[in-house]
Each structure stands twice: as C-alpha cells, then as structure tokens.
Amino acid sequence: MNAEKIILFDGVCNFCNSSVNFVIKRDKNSVFKFAPIQSERAQEILSSADDSFKKLDSFILVDNGKLYTKTTAALRVCKSLPGLWPLLYAFIIIPTFLRDPFYNLIAKYRYQWFGKADNCMIPTPEVRAKFLN
C-alpha cells in the first residue's frame, strides 16, 4: 500500500455505491481511488490487515497505508473533500463508541433499506480511471 487514498466498499450495496458516487462527484482533484471489497485488488490490500478488517460490513479507507473504518473512515473522507465537507471532521472528537452505533445500524440493514445489486457496479468510462484494477 502506498500514499494514495483508497476507498474499499461493498460493490453490491446500493447505498455504498451511492456513497462512492457522492465522493467521485466531489473529488475534483482525484484524491481517491476505489475498489469493491469483492475485488481481487481489495482482497490483496486486506490480505496483510488484521482479521477484524476482513469481516466488516463497512467501507474501508486506506490512507497512507493505514486502514480506517466506519465513521472514522467517513469523517476522514470528508476531510479530504473540497468545500465545506472538511468541517464535518470536527465530529472526530466524539468517541467512536458514540459515533459508530448509528453507522452499525445502517450497515446492518443497508440491503433491506437501500437494496442490493446482483453485481458490483461498473463505472462509466469517465470514472474508470479512479478504480483500481
């Protein structure tokens, strides 16, 4: 893993795909790369990670070789977006045990509430360069 910022996400989760599209739309400087957690590349990245990262129903941010999950990952992504989004990073001062339960609730019911695709999303040619092979 190198210094790039990589978002690993559930490629069949409609909510996760919408979140990735949200970041792509705002990531004008191409700070982030993306990979579905089901991909070989994501599994390669996670192969050297602690087992707790391999069982997550979460997206994972890889930043400078360090892995972040749940609300910490989301807040760190916001911190790297342009505009007012970095202001949300102020919520990092709230302990994870207070921040993550809401995230866990959404993660638990994401398929029921937002649906599940049969396959991982296929990026358009314009955004394909933002995805790891």
Side-chain angles (χ1 to χ4, degrees):
M1 291 182 272
N2 56 28
E4 63 188 355
K5 296 180 184 199
I6 304 167
I7 295 175
L8 306 178
F9 65 100
D10 183 348
V12 297
C13 168
N14 289 339
F15 180 74
C16 302
N17 286 328
S18 294
S19 299
V20 166
N21 288 328
F22 175 89
V23 174
I24 288 171
K25 183 177 178 180
R26 286 154 184 82
D27 185 25
K28 302 299 181 195
N29 295 325
S30 296
V31 171
F32 296 101
K33 296 285 187 183
F34 304 89
I37 203 118
Q38 295 88 347
S39 71
E40 287 182 31
R41 183 68 174 110
Q43 293 305 308
E44 180 182 306
I45 291 168
L46 293 174
S47 67
S48 60
D50 182 280
D51 284 342
S52 63
F53 288 100
K54 298 173 187 175
K55 300 174 190 167
L56 288 175
D57 53 359
S58 169
F59 80 91
I60 299 169
L61 173 65
V62 183
D63 186 355
N64 255 346
K66 188 162 167 63
L67 280 67
Y68 301 94
T69 61
K70 301 183 180 186
T71 58
T72 302
L75 291 171
R76 291 184 71 84
V77 168
C78 289
K79 181 180 175 184
S80 297
L81 293 176
L84 298 177
W85 295 107
L87 295 175
L88 292 175
Y89 191 70
F91 288 106
I92 202 77
I93 65 169
I94 299 170
T96 55
F97 75 89
L98 294 174
R99 285 187 277 125
D100 283 349
F102 181 70
Y103 185 98
N104 292 338
L105 181 69
I106 293 173
K108 183 176 180 177
Y109 294 105
R110 69 188 186 278
Y111 295 141
Q112 292 94 323
W113 293 346
F114 304 103
K116 182 178 179 182
D118 292 331
N119 301 305
C120 290
M121 72 181 267
I122 300 172
T124 62
E126 300 85 46
V127 297
R128 188 165 285 137
K130 293 179 179 270
F131 282 75
L132 300 177
N133 292 330

